[in-house]
């Protein structure tokens, strides 16, 4: 009887653990469709739009490995609970933010909570279930996450359209309370005895400096100037822009980070990344491919909601329905992978998936025009989502297939970090492509209107770019022709961003050609379950 009760507690606890990770997924997808309303309400400029998305991903990527180690040492349930509490409290700050700076700051704190939740949930399930039960548990967990990834855009659109974008963050609070109660009642604490080595604090600090400086340079370059600066930040007094110095800091900290990591590894100490595993070709090449693919996958996610609402005039709920095509494609891909996973090698599935992503992005890019209908965009999103569903989870399995079982945790954490780094860089690079080409394209179109003086052209360009497109509706009242130019320029810049994404995905496809296409043995199957499900999480966070 006691054994039955214990088993029942484990499965009920699994539900709450799954919801905890789904909390991260829902928040990410909700923000995608709510961002145009946030821009209008808080008067965000285009750089702040990128930072609202970027700040969360950047912190998440930088701290993922740190909190995974801390969870194993100090208790997985303890870290999981603390992450949920931090995530919920920071959601209150986001929901009540009166300025863009406060919203960005709250997103930074959310990234800390998310970086605690994901690795702690994975290791908790891994420690709680064994054998066949573990495979079933990860399947339930992954299904919950996949379902919430589909619900997120619709929920965010509904809340934003009929209530406020603030409820898109506020909904995390009651969910957080439910999760905390459920985990306290139905899950047991667990630690990893072998995880008692000291955390690499210096490596963690170097990684934060590396990615923060790199992303800062990529996002702020168009604002402060790539070399010389006419509009330097308040803290800067030199004529030379701070951007070259930020790039230099990224390079230096990156070199020091790698040298420090190898030195610690030779001394038998813990490291932020599994440097020794990089000697394994499948692990090294797979991580490179995963990072590049994740970078390319943000071409649509960042720009399309802005385009749908500011150019086509859709509300947030309608935008959510359009983006739902992407989630449906991912669901179909899951069924395809399940049916043919034993007949087709994982590397082949990865390549087919990346190819489908490229085709989907191009379908969307060529379907973009200011008078487009939803049905011209949805098929491309479906194909793109199908590719994401195939490539992302299977790529995780490929990355980990030759990693020794004793190092699977560190290897899994490294590939998750590679994905998040790619996502962060994708937002920075493709967002810069979007807004830089928008400014250039709109200025070029307005130059063909001699009735507009240079000062007026500059004001219009700044209005459209700084408002991330939300200022286009205001132009309708003053000059419909100028508003039409703005819509066409925003459409063109969204297309260029999609083309850039397709280019990075193509590079990712070429990187996948260096992966071994051989089949794995059946002995690897159970060890891959966790990796495949974790890949589903990465897939969901990009959608």
């Amino acid at each position: 009887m006691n054994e039955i009760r214990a088993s029942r507690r484990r499965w009920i606890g699994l539900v709450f653990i799954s919801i905890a990770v789904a909390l991260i997924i829902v928040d990410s997808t909700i923000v995608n469709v709510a961002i145009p309303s946030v821009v209008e309400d808080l008067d965000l400029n285009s750089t702040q739009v990128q930072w609202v998305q970027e700040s969360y991903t950047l912190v998440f990527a930088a701290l993922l490995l740190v909190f995974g180690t801390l969870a194993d040492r100090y208790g997985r349930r303890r870290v999981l609970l603390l992450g949920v509490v931090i995530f919920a409290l920071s959601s209150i700050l986001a929901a009540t933010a009166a300025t863009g700076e406060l919203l960005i700051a709250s997103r930074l704190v959310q990234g800390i909570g998310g970086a605690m939740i994901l690795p702690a949930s994975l290791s908790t399930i891994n420690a709680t279930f064994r054998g066949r039960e573990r495979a079933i548990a990860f399947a339930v967990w992954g299904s919950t996450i996949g379902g919430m990834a589909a619900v997120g855009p619709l929920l965010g659109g509904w809340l934003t359209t009929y209530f406020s974008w603030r409820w898109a963050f506020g909904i995390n609070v009651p969910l957080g309370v439910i999760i905390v109660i459920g985990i306290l009642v139905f899950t047991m604490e667990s630690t990893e005895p072998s995880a008692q080595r000291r955390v690499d604090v210096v490596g963690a600090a170097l990684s934060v400096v590396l990615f923060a400086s790199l992303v800062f340079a990529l996002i702020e370059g168009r604002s402060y100037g790539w070399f010389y600066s006419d509009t330097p930040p308040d803290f800067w007094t030199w004529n030379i822009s701070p951007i070259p110095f930020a790039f230099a800091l990224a390079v230096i900290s990156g070199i020091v980070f790698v040298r420090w990591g190898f030195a610690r590894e030779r001394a038998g100490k813990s490291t932020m990344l599994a440097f020794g595993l990089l000697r394994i070709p499948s692990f090294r090449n797979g991580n490179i491919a995963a990072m590049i693919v994740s970078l390319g996958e943000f071409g649509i996610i960042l720009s399309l909601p802005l385009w749908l609402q500011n150019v086509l005039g859709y509300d947030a709920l309608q935008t959510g329905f359009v983006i739902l095509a992407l989630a449906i494609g991912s669901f179909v891909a899951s069924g395809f992978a399940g049916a043919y996973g034993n007949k087709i090698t994982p590397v082949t599935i990865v390549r087919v998936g990346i190819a489908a992503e490229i085709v989907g992005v191009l379908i969307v890019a060529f379907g973009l025009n200011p008078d487009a209908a939803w049905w011209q965009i949805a098929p491309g999103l479906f194909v793109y989502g199908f590719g994401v569903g195939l490539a992302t989870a299977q790529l995780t399995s490929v990355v980990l297939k030759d990693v020794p079982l004793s190092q699977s945790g560190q290897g899994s954490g490294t590939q998750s970090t590679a994905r998040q780094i790619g996502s962060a860089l994708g937002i920075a690079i493709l967002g810069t492509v979007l807004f830089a080409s928008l400014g250039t394209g709109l200025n070029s179109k307005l130059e063909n209107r001699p009735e507009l003086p240079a000062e007026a052209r500059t004001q219009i360009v700044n209005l459209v770019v700084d408002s991330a497109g939300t200022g286009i509706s205001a132009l309708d009242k003053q000059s419909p022709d100028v508003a039409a130019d703005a819509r066409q320029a925003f459409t063109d810049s969204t297309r260029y961003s999609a083309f850039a994404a397709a280019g990075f995905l193509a590079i990712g496809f070429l990187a996948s050609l260096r992966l071994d296409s051989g089949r794995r043995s059946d002995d690897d199957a159970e060890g891959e379950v966790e990796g495949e499900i974790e890949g589903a999480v990465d897939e969901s966070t990009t959608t």
Side-chain angles (χ1 to χ4, degrees):
M1 182 64 69
N2 290 334
E3 185 176 343
I4 294 176
R5 289 177 179 175
S7 178
R8 185 178 302 163
R9 281 169 58 91
R10 288 202 307 270
W11 290 106
I12 296 176
L14 171 65
V15 173
F16 290 101
I17 293 171
S18 301
I19 297 174
V21 181
L23 194 68
I24 306 173
I25 311 307
V26 169
D27 186 81
S28 178
T29 54
I30 280 178
V31 170
N32 289 335
V33 298
I35 197 68
S37 297
V38 179
V39 171
E40 187 173 1
D41 192 16
L42 297 185
D43 194 26
L44 302 185
N45 59 43
S46 56
T47 300
Q48 289 175 314
V49 169
Q50 287 178 267
W51 277 116
V52 168
Q53 302 265 31
E54 186 71 84
S55 53
Y56 174 85
T57 305
L58 184 64
V59 173
F60 191 99
L63 299 179
L64 193 64
L65 292 178
V66 175
F67 285 125
T69 302
L70 292 177
D72 287 341
R73 176 189 292 184
Y74 296 110
R76 290 135 179 170
R77 188 179 75 161
R78 181 178 291 113
V79 172
L80 178 58
L81 286 170
L82 183 58
V84 172
V85 170
I86 291 175
F87 198 90
L89 292 178
S90 58
S91 295
I92 296 176
L93 296 177
T96 57
T99 65
E101 289 79 7
L102 289 175
L103 179 58
I104 292 169
S106 65
R107 291 285 286 164
L108 285 168
V109 181
Q110 278 190 318
I112 297 174
M116 299 173 102
I117 292 171
L118 178 59
S121 68
L122 276 167
S123 55
T124 298
I125 295 175
N126 201 43
T128 303
F129 297 91
R130 291 287 184 271
R132 178 173 174 78
E133 279 193 348
R134 179 183 293 171
I136 296 173
F138 276 124
V140 172
W141 185 70
S143 298
T144 303
I145 294 169
M148 296 306 286
V151 169
L154 296 180
L155 179 61
W158 177 68
L159 290 171
T160 302
T161 301
Y162 293 105
F163 297 95
S164 167
W165 63 266
R166 297 182 183 276
W167 276 106
F169 294 103
I171 195 173
N172 294 331
V173 179
L175 286 175
V177 173
I178 294 171
I179 292 167
V180 167
I181 294 173
I183 291 176
L184 283 173
V185 174
F186 294 107
T187 64
M188 301 294 291
E189 185 60 278
S190 64
T191 58
E192 179 58 49
S194 62
Q196 299 304 311
R197 294 188 296 173
R198 182 172 298 177
V199 177
D200 182 10
V201 177
V202 174
L206 286 170
S207 69
V208 172
V209 173
L210 164 61
F211 298 119
S213 57
L214 179 58
V215 170
F216 171 85
L218 290 170
I219 290 180
E220 299 288 357
R222 61 188 176 84
S223 299
Y224 296 144
W226 295 104
F227 193 79
Y228 291 106
S229 180
D230 295 327
T231 56
D234 295 336
F235 62 84
W236 198 257
T237 57
W238 296 353
N239 290 329
I240 298 177
S241 169
I243 300 305
F245 295 91
F247 276 124
L249 180 60
V251 172
I252 293 171
S253 57
I255 293 173
V256 176
F257 173 73
V258 173
R259 290 179 65 89
W260 174 264
F262 275 114
R264 283 184 64 88
E265 188 174 73
R266 285 194 297 268
K269 299 178 181 179
S270 62
T271 57
M272 283 296 297
L273 292 180
F275 291 101
L277 294 179
L278 294 177
R279 298 186 182 93
I280 302 174
S282 61
F283 185 80
R284 180 181 64 251
N285 297 330
N287 273 298
I288 293 172
M291 184 170 65
I292 295 173
V293 169
S294 295
L295 195 157
E297 285 174 347
F298 272 82
I300 290 177
I301 302 305
L302 175 66
S303 59
L304 195 61
L306 292 171
W307 179 79
L308 287 168
Q309 296 186 47
N310 296 327
V311 175
L312 297 191
Y314 286 13
D315 60 31
L317 182 58
Q318 291 171 315
T319 300
F321 274 112
V322 174
I323 296 177
L324 183 62
L326 194 157
I328 294 174
S330 295
F331 275 125
V332 173
S334 298
F336 178 88
Y340 293 94
N342 295 326
K343 302 176 182 178
I344 304 175
T345 62
V347 171
T348 301
I349 294 178
V350 167
R351 292 169 184 161
V352 171
I354 298 175
E357 288 186 60
I358 296 171
V359 171
V361 169
L362 292 177
I363 291 174
V364 171
F366 287 114
L368 294 173
N369 69 76
D371 300 317
W374 67 268
W375 52 265
Q376 294 172 271
I377 306 301
L381 285 176
F382 176 86
V383 175
Y384 170 76
F386 182 81
V388 170
L390 287 182
T392 308
Q394 290 295 324
L395 188 54
T396 304
S397 300
V398 172
V399 169
L400 299 179
K401 78 182 185 69
D402 295 324
V403 173
L405 185 60
S406 61
Q407 295 180 277
S408 60
Q410 191 177 20
S412 179
T414 299
Q415 67 87 30
S416 293
T417 300
R419 291 177 187 275
Q420 294 300 325
I421 290 169
S423 299
L425 293 178
I427 295 172
I429 295 173
L430 298 175
T432 298
V433 170
L434 171 69
F435 293 118
S437 60
L438 171 60
T440 303
L442 180 55
N443 185 68
S444 177
K445 292 181 183 302
L446 295 180
E447 285 179 346
N448 296 325
R449 296 188 178 276
E451 70 275 12
L452 287 176
E455 183 178 352
R457 290 200 306 269
T458 300
Q459 290 177 347
I460 292 171
V461 171
N462 290 341
L463 169 67
V464 175
V465 174
D466 289 344
S467 68
T470 59
I472 295 177
S473 59
L475 294 175
D476 277 320
K477 303 174 183 177
Q478 302 174 6
S479 174
D481 291 337
V482 171
D485 286 342
R487 286 190 171 87
Q488 185 61 58
F490 202 105
T491 300
D492 293 339
S493 64
T494 303
R495 184 181 298 112
Y496 297 147
S497 181
F499 284 152
F504 283 115
L505 289 169
I507 296 173
F509 180 84
L510 294 177
S512 74
L513 297 179
R514 295 182 60 86
L515 297 173
D516 180 17
S517 61
R519 290 187 178 273
R520 293 155 295 172
S521 65
D522 295 337
D523 295 338
D524 297 329
E526 181 178 338
E528 290 166 357
V529 173
E530 178 178 348
E532 291 185 9
I533 298 301
E534 184 171 335
V537 177
D538 295 320
E539 165 198 334
S540 302
T541 54
T542 64
T543 55

